[in-house]
Every structure is written in C-alpha cells, then in structure tokens.
Amino acid sequence: MRAAAAGLTASVFLGGALALAPAANAVGGHSKCTSDANMNGKVDVTNVNLRKGPGTSYGSYGQLTKGARVYIDCVRQPDITKQPWLYIKVNSGAHKGQRGWVRDDLIYWPIWS
C-alpha cells in the first residue's frame, strides 16, 4: 500500500495543474527508453518483427507489414555504436493497438533533434 501511495505522490505541476506520473511498469517498455520521440511514422520495409524488447534476442509479437502506421513513443540508444530501437504503438493493420519494439532503420519517421 505504501508503494502505491508513493507512486501517486510522484507528481509534476504544469501550469498550476497537477499531473500524476504513471509507475514505470504501467507504461511497459517505455522505462527502457533513453529519449522521448512522440511522433508518427510508418513501417518502411516488408515484414518487420514487433519485438517484446529492444533487441533481436527478444521474442516477436508478430510481423508488421509495409505501410502500417505507428506512433513512436520513445527511443532506446544506449550508446552510439548500437542500432537505436523504437518503442511504438501500432495504429493500423493486424496488430493495431499493440505496443512493442522495432529497430529504428525499419520505420520511416522525421529526423528529430
């Protein structure tokens, strides 16, 4: 009970309004991200695995088809020598509504700074 109360007390004041921050496990893989993206994109190649974690060692929920629309929540890039991974929510196609991980170079999305 004390842990739940601590999660609710972790809040941020924005323009006088109180916004409660969700617990890390409530947002799934987002806790593994290194930066936010908050952009829309689309699958740029045929048959992309939607992974359970940021890497090929994680299992797949299934495959996304070319052109499927996605919302890119955040990015994981632990260091410059490794391929970035995107934590996404699928907005169209067979896995609509599913969240998971896709390698950065398989999704078309605007360059971010």
Side-chain angles (χ1 to χ4, degrees):
M1 197 65 175
R2 176 169 249 158
L8 290 176
T9 59
S11 59
V12 178
F13 285 97
L14 300 171
L18 177 66
L20 296 177
N25 62 356
V27 290
H30 189 276
S31 64
K32 295 180 181 177
C33 290
T34 54
S35 62
D36 288 332
N38 301 318
M39 295 186 167
N40 291 310
K42 67 179 180 176
V43 176
D44 204 29
V45 297
T46 305
N47 299 330
V48 172
N49 281 310
L50 180 63
R51 301 254 177 211
K52 296 177 181 181
T56 56
S57 63
Y58 291 90
S60 175
Y61 291 116
Q63 293 189 333
L64 306 176
T65 58
K66 185 174 183 174
R69 293 185 318 250
V70 299
Y71 172 75
I72 304 159
D73 190 15
C74 59
V75 180
R76 175 173 177 82
Q77 183 169 12
D79 64 61
I80 196 75
T81 65
K82 296 184 180 176
Q83 180 69 41
W85 284 79
L86 307 175
Y87 183 63
I88 66 166
K89 179 180 179 186
V90 181
N91 288 335
S92 70
H95 295 283
K96 184 176 180 179
Q98 177 72 51
R99 291 184 180 269
W101 293 88
V102 177
R103 214 174 63 209
D104 169 76
D105 62 335
L106 304 176
I107 302 290
Y108 173 78
W109 60 299
I111 296 173
W112 51 281
S113 56

